[in-house]
Structure formats: C-alpha cells, structure tokens
Amino acid sequence: MNAPVNPSKPAGKPAQASPSPASEERSLNFLEQIIEADNASGKWGSWDGSKTPRVHTRFPPEPNGYLHVGHAKSICLNSGLAKKYGGKFNLRFDDTNPAKEEQEYVDSIIRDVKWLGGDFDTGPNAGGLFYASNYFDQMYAFAVELIKKGRAYVCQLSGDEVSARRGTPTVPATSPWRDRPAEESLRLLDEMRDGKHANGAMTLRAKIDLASPNFNLRDPVMYRIVHEEHHNTGKKWCIYPMYDWAHGLEDSLEGITHSICTLEFENHRPLYDWFIDAINDGRGPDSEWGMPIHHPQQIEFAKLRPTYTVMSKRNLLKMVEEKVVSGWDDPRMPTISAMRRRGYPPEALRNFVTDVGVTKVESYIDVGRLENAARDVLNKTAPRAMAVLRPLKVTIENWPEGKVDELDFVINPEDAAAGKRKVPFSRVIYIERDDFMENPPKKFFRLAPGAEVRLRWAYFITCTGVEKDAAGNITGIRATYDPATRGGDAPVGPDGTPTKKVKGTIHWVSAEHAVAAKVRLFDRLFSAETPGERTGNYMDDLNPNSLETVDALVEPWLAQHASYDHKSLEGARFQFERLGYFCIDKDSAPGGLIFNRSVTLKDSWAKEAKPG
RNA sequence: UGGGGAUUGGUGUAACGGUAGCACGAGUGACUCUGACUCACUUAGUCUAGGUUCGAAUCCUAGAUCCCCAACCA
C-alpha cells in the first residue's frame, strides 16, 4: 500500500493532447485507418516517379437505373479517399448484364457523378472512365487459363437442376459435369461464345468447393449465355461474365488498391480472392501464363439508409413505371438527379455523407439530417426574396392611391457581398394567410385586429379591419402604415432609443407588381420511417400529400432572375423569406414560372402551434 | 439448425487496457428587421451474464438480438 501502485501515467501512452483547438481534428474512419496502415507498410508501393503511396479507388455502378443518395455516399467516399491521399479515382461501369442495362443510365450516371464532384476525368485525382465490357476479351483469356489449370468447367445443368442440386448448409451440392476433360470444356466454351447454344443451355463454372458452407463457393457460375444486344459491345458477345468472376478482374486490371463495396458482398470476398489467386497460381517469371496479376483488397462498409424513403433500384424503378412519381428525377425521389432538380447543392450532399460517417454498422439515418445539410449550404448562399404562397390582400388605407415606394432589400444577411436591391411598395399588398388571425392565441406575433407588425424592409402596419364575404370567409384586411418606420426601422426618440417595438415581422409582395408563379411544395414521399415495414408493401406507406402545388405571387425581381441552366441542370436557388429554399424547375418558362421547394426553414412556431 | 457480419445517449459517430467525447435531435434561455441564422446551458449511453486485471466499451468465456448468404442479378 505504501509503494505507489501506479505513480505515473501508463507507459507507451502518448501524453494527452490538451483539449485545445487541435482537438478539431476528426478521427480517422476505419477505411482511412486501413489505408494509412497500408501506406505505412508500403503494401501498394508508390506512384511512378514519386514517393506518394498508391491509393486507387473506383466507383463501379451497374447502368441499370439512376444513382441515389446511397451511391452518393460511395462516390464521395471513393473519390474523397483518392483526393485525401493523393491517389486516383475511376468511374467504371460494371456493364456485365445487357438484359438490364441501357445507355440512358450510363449518361445519367456520368452526369450525376460529375455533378457531385467525383472527378474521374478531370483534376489531379482523375483515374479515368472505364467499362467492364472493355475487358471481355481479357476475361475470356483468363477463363481459358482456368479451364486449362483444371479450375473451371462447363456445366450443362439447367438453372432448375442447379437449384435442385444446390444442397443445404450441411449437404453438399453436386454436378455431374465437374470432372469432364478440360478439352471438352474448352470446346464448349468456344461454342457458347460463338452463339451455338441457347440461353441457359450451359454455363462455365469455377471448380471450388461444392460442400462449402458459404454457398457462393459452391462452384459459382463464371459465364452464362445471354443472347442480347449490349449497349457498348453490341452483338459481339453472347456470353457475359457474372459479377463475382468479373469484378475482381476489373479492379485488378485497373490497378485498384482498395476495392470498397457494401456489406452484402462480405460473403463474396473469398470468391473475389479465389479467382485472382487461381489465375496467379502457377504464374511467375518463367511461367507460360506470365507474371501474376495485381490483387486488390476488397473492403466492405454499411450502405446509407435514410428514413422515410426506399433505396433499392427495383423499388424506385417500380415507382417510375407505375407513375407514382413523374420520373427518376421527380424531386421527391431519393435519386441524385431528383435532389439536383429539387435544388439541393452538391455540397450539401457531400457534407451530409461525410457528416454521417462510414462504418460497418447497419443503421438508418434520419432524413432530417439531409434536409439540415441542405439548409446549411443554402442559408449561406441563397439570395433572399419575398413570395407569398397563400395570398391575403391587405389594403393600406392611409397610403396614397397610385404611389409607389422603392425600398432597400438586403439580398443575403449571411453574405454582405451580395448587396442590396429595390422592392416596390404600394397601397395594396399581399401577405401570407397564415400571418393573419382574427382571434390569435397568446404567443401569435403576427397580424391581428389592432395588432402592429413590421413588413420586412418596408413599414410597420396596424390592422384596422377585416373584410369578409357572405359566407364569412376572410377576403382581405385593412390596415394603416406608420410613415416614421420607412425601411422597417423602428422610430427613435430624441434619446436615440426606439419609441416603439414590434415583435413580428412578416413578408409581403406589392399587388400591382407581383408576378404569378406555380410553387410545388414537396413533403416526404412516404409517411413511414421504414416504408413497407407495416404491411410488407412499401407502396402502402406512400404519403398522399407529398406534393402540393400552389398559385403563389412573387416579387418581380424573382421573375427577372428565374434562370435555369440547361448545362448544369440547375435552376436558380433562392430563399423565400420565412418560408424556405426554392429553386427554378426545368419546366419553368418566362410566362409560367415554376418553383420547387427544396426544403422549408425550421419553424419553431409551427411546432408550438400544432401540438397545442 | 451451416457460414459471414454487427451491437456505445432518441439518432449517427469517437475511444484501440487508463477521465466515455463529438455531432444531430430534443428542452431551456439570449439575440434578432426571417418564430430563420447565431450563441449559451441542459438532457441522455457502453446488449446480457460471468471471468482476467490495480483498472475493461476495449481482452477471455457463454448467451441475446439484428443484418446478409442456397439468381445463369449486381
């Protein structure tokens, strides 16, 4: 007891960094840890003529649908890693199944990857654009090699027969063709390639282990016969490689170091390694086969799953086909093209996916975080403007008929460089219906009979009366303005202090100058956090109110700046003050403005008013 | 019932045998010409049971729960 048990800090532990600004450094995620360990050990060597360790990643989509936020995570991850470690990033189409793939998807994917900032063809980290289909000849040669090495065979079982002979976890599979002579398989494979056999007549299978508890290893199919035109190779091939056979070879041929994929491929990693090892078996300096090929490392991570949406391409395709949405780029969809159309800046998506991090834990991400990421970027960058979604007419009784005042409007309080502009003010204006209540609750800061509010950047007005139709509906209100409040500033007394204050500030547009516009208000496509969980059918959870279109009135400046860039596919983005962020839709035209609501502003009043 | 993974506040994520921290959310307050933004404070966690150890989120043992795998899809 007398002797100090542990008089000092433990050995081998670095002194603790003081909790100072230095603690801002983000800890490494598990992928970065792997890469840094590889870099330290020199596992992948370095780039020619430099000391920079080689880090080469890729994004390998199948062109069978549009990219969604989940893909955005992979794109940002892979291109971000290449950028961070001075490496290269490839875009590669895994186009090995012509039955499902189309050029339209190729085009959309290239657009989306570029828009997101995945620089595969420009800048210091550009690795290039590739197609698996460009490697078909090389893959075929590898397959021949494996047959000759006794590692593959042509199997003439039908699909049903293979299923029937698949076995169980403890009972092995069988194939009567497993031990046929290599010459026979070689001849048959050539015949398959030459189109001499029908779809499904035979396959090339790897001879691995029919008893493996991992079913992927029970002699997986390498080639199947598919008589189908390919978007890239046309009719040249009528056999196409399976994913497991093809993917590692694609990575190998491109010199990929870290082949990052999602968790469901964990069971496939032994296969990924087996094929490359099998090819390398017997290769070497004096080998007839040549030197060993590059062997990348497959690493898996958990895919991104936001709440209140579905992500599988199959489900998304169904919604497009059944016209539940207007298309892949319907702004309610979780696709990248939809989010672009909705007005989300690419930076917001990038921030979102890095903020959420990368691990092997399967989890749902609150889709609100994506919305927050959009707000964050838009708040700093979007010019402010005024628009009234549900107009209520206000007549200012003491404002002279025909008089127009031009008032200064701050374009973006978050960005002084954005400057100011003029907004016209006149006797009749529109305000938001929600901003007036005849019998307001206690904490209602807006307009009500006898109450005074500030019209943003304009004047204080006081409500003096309500106009109603025969049915008792409010059709308009009357008010007076205070000339001493021009610009929206409270009047000050001789001592410099305000002589009156108002709690509320509301937005408005001048009736005489307002421009009509359609505004699409989007809500979440599904009303359940995990669509389909309740009934098994995700369509049952569709939110019937996910789209509302209103006839709004916007200030004239907005109409003048309502541009849509057909090159970047982005519409001009704005904040409609107190409402949210909006952008010009691609369907918009000078005579028929259309805005999409990207995301609302946070609204603590709505929170308070609703649950009541 | 075979194989492969995972498990830290409401959510996401750190810790790598040595003070369980950060972000988001939520709550409260301040500020405000956007009920926004910003700022401050508060809230709340190691799946369970044993064991090793001066000390366990971390190592060991046994369980629990969840996800993936028997397409000629990727």
Side-chain angles (χ1 to χ4, degrees):
Chain A
M1 278 301 123
N2 304 335
V5 174
N6 192 0
S8 63
K9 64 178 187 273
K13 274 277 159 190
Q16 184 149 19
S18 57
S20 64
S23 61
E24 276 187 19
E25 275 181 39
R26 185 177 119 255
S27 53
L28 300 177
N29 65 47
F30 83 105
L31 295 171
E32 293 165 333
Q33 288 180 20
I34 291 172
I35 289 175
E36 297 202 0
D38 290 347
N39 289 352
S41 71
K43 177 172 179 179
W44 304 108
S46 49
W47 296 105
D48 287 344
S50 87
K51 285 182 181 156
T52 309
R54 252 166 46 78
V55 174
H56 203 154
T57 59
R58 103 265 98 115
F59 173 62
E62 182 189 16
N64 66 344
Y66 279 62
L67 261 25
H68 54 60
V69 248
H71 298 111
K73 178 175 179 179
S74 180
I75 294 165
C76 293
L77 215 51
N78 280 294
S79 68
L81 255 13
K83 189 178 243 170
K84 173 166 184 175
Y85 293 105
K88 301 285 184 203
F89 167 69
N90 295 1
L91 172 60
R92 179 178 68 230
F93 287 100
D94 205 3
D95 52 353
T96 57
N97 185 1
K100 291 185 176 175
E101 297 154 7
E102 293 173 23
Q103 187 63 39
E104 178 199 348
Y105 297 133
V106 171
D107 298 338
S108 78
I109 289 169
I110 290 176
R111 258 198 318 266
D112 290 347
V113 173
K114 283 189 168 195
W115 179 75
L116 254 187
D119 292 335
F120 60 88
D121 65 350
T122 160
N125 309 108
L129 172 63
F130 301 90
Y131 294 85
S133 50
N134 287 151
Y135 308 133
F136 283 172
D137 285 302
Q138 177 64 256
M139 288 176 187
Y140 192 86
F142 283 138
V144 168
E145 180 176 336
L146 289 198
I147 294 175
K148 288 180 177 168
K149 287 177 176 173
R151 304 285 212 130
Y153 61 97
V154 169
C155 176
Q156 291 177 69
L157 253 23
S158 71
D160 288 344
E161 286 169 327
V162 171
S163 293
R165 291 162 170 266
R166 182 71 61 183
T168 69
T170 48
V171 176
T174 58
S175 168
W177 307 103
R178 203 165 197 253
D179 295 313
R180 81 190 324 165
E183 302 73 44
E184 214 172 284
S185 287
L186 251 14
R187 177 175 55 77
L188 256 13
L189 180 64
D190 279 347
E191 289 179 13
M192 285 167 63
R193 178 196 57 192
D194 295 339
K196 293 183 177 156
H197 299 284
N199 287 355
M202 55 189 72
T203 58
L204 181 70
R205 291 229 252 168
K207 193 192 282 191
I208 306 183
D209 179 5
L210 288 174
S212 174
N214 179 350
F215 277 75
N216 296 129
L217 260 18
R218 315 257 262 221
D219 288 11
V221 171
M222 295 163 64
Y223 278 107
R224 79 286 211 187
I225 301 170
V226 181
H227 291 275
E228 193 103 30
E229 187 155 345
H230 187 278
H231 74 96
N232 191 26
T233 57
K235 290 184 173 159
K236 178 177 176 188
W237 294 89
C238 40
I239 58 171
Y240 290 91
M242 298 288 290
Y243 170 86
D244 287 306
W245 165 235
H247 203 86
L249 299 181
E250 297 159 20
D251 287 338
S252 175
L253 262 11
E254 289 172 23
I256 300 301
T257 54
H258 305 269
S259 176
I260 299 166
C261 63
T262 46
L263 249 30
E264 67 266 32
F265 291 103
E266 242 165 351
N267 290 332
H268 295 248
R269 185 165 9 109
L271 248 193
Y272 185 103
D273 292 330
W274 188 93
F275 278 124
I276 294 176
D277 288 340
I279 289 169
N280 284 342
D281 185 24
R283 283 180 173 244
D286 302 317
S287 165
E288 57 172 313
W289 307 111
M291 295 298 285
I293 62 171
H294 172 66
H295 191 150
Q297 179 184 3
Q298 173 179 310
I299 310 167
E300 309 84 14
F301 71 97
K303 61 170 67 144
L304 176 63
R305 292 185 306 178
T307 52
Y308 294 99
T309 190
V310 296
M311 295 293 276
S312 92
K313 282 195 241 181
R314 211 185 92 253
N315 290 344
L316 296 178
L317 213 210
K318 196 173 166 206
M319 290 196 289
V320 172
E321 285 176 341
E322 297 189 2
K323 306 218 184 300
V324 170
V325 293
S326 66
W328 285 100
D329 69 345
D330 184 304
R332 293 167 294 175
M333 292 279 272
T335 57
I336 294 175
S337 50
M339 292 188 288
R340 176 173 56 228
R341 184 172 178 187
R342 184 164 177 158
Y344 285 12
E347 189 189 359
L349 295 210
R350 273 183 248 127
N351 293 349
F352 168 64
V353 299
T354 55
D355 185 47
V356 145
V358 54
T359 64
K360 298 188 73 154
V361 185
E362 293 174 23
S363 56
Y364 283 99
I365 305 293
D366 183 351
V367 75
R369 294 180 71 151
L370 173 59
E371 294 160 0
N372 279 341
R375 287 189 188 100
D376 271 353
V377 175
L378 260 8
N379 176 47
K380 295 187 187 84
T381 56
R384 316 282 131 125
M386 291 198 289
V388 175
L389 264 27
R390 297 176 178 87
L392 175 63
K393 192 165 91 172
V394 179
T395 307
I396 298 162
E397 297 171 305
N398 58 340
W399 186 272
E401 209 76 60
K403 179 183 170 185
V404 175
D405 196 0
E406 297 269 317
L407 298 156
D408 279 328
F409 185 104
V410 174
I411 291 176
N412 187 349
E414 304 282 329
D415 177 13
K420 291 182 179 180
R421 63 191 162 77
K422 300 286 186 187
V423 218
F425 183 85
S426 61
R427 180 178 160 90
V428 180
I429 62 169
Y430 288 101
I431 65 168
E432 210 67 59
R433 284 203 103 88
D434 285 352
D435 287 340
F436 175 80
M437 284 183 93
E438 199 170 10
N439 300 297
K442 200 159 191 311
K443 285 191 186 163
F444 189 77
F445 303 147
R446 285 108 99 146
L447 205 56
E452 185 169 32
V453 294
R454 169 172 27 238
L455 295 176
R456 182 103 158 125
W457 305 121
Y459 293 93
F460 288 13
I461 60 169
T462 304
C463 175
T464 54
V466 184
E467 297 162 3
K468 296 183 181 178
D469 63 15
N473 300 311
I474 296 171
T475 55
I477 60 179
R478 293 188 303 282
T480 55
Y481 84 104
D482 179 349
T485 57
R486 184 172 188 273
D489 296 311
V492 288
D495 60 346
T497 59
T499 55
K500 63 173 163 187
K501 276 188 174 176
V502 288
K503 186 81 177 161
T505 299
I506 64 176
H507 58 279
W508 53 276
V509 293
S510 165
E512 178 189 337
H513 306 90
V515 177
K518 295 256 184 239
V519 178
R520 297 176 182 148
L521 308 176
F522 303 110
D523 197 356
R524 292 166 183 174
L525 235 197
F526 294 92
S527 46
E529 257 194 18
T530 49
E533 195 174 54
R534 200 168 37 93
T535 64
N537 179 4
Y538 68 105
M539 294 280 199
D540 291 340
D541 290 316
L542 278 168
N543 172 9
N545 305 313
S546 60
L547 169 62
E548 183 187 0
T549 303
V550 296
D551 290 304
L553 292 169
V554 306
E555 57 162 300
W557 182 84
L558 226 25
Q560 291 154 19
H561 292 79
S563 61
Y564 180 85
D565 181 351
H566 288 274
K567 203 166 173 200
S568 68
L569 303 175
E570 290 178 352
R573 299 189 267 251
F574 306 94
Q575 183 197 100
F576 291 179
E577 293 236 352
R578 301 209 307 132
L579 295 174
Y581 299 95
F582 296 74
C583 75
I584 285 290
D585 187 77
K586 68 177 182 184
D587 292 342
S588 190
L593 292 179
I594 301 174
F595 288 93
N596 293 327
R597 183 173 69 194
S598 312
V599 62
T600 61
L601 249 28
K602 277 197 208 155
D603 187 350
S604 55
W605 165 245
K607 217 186 269 177
E608 176 151 2
K610 257 200 186 131

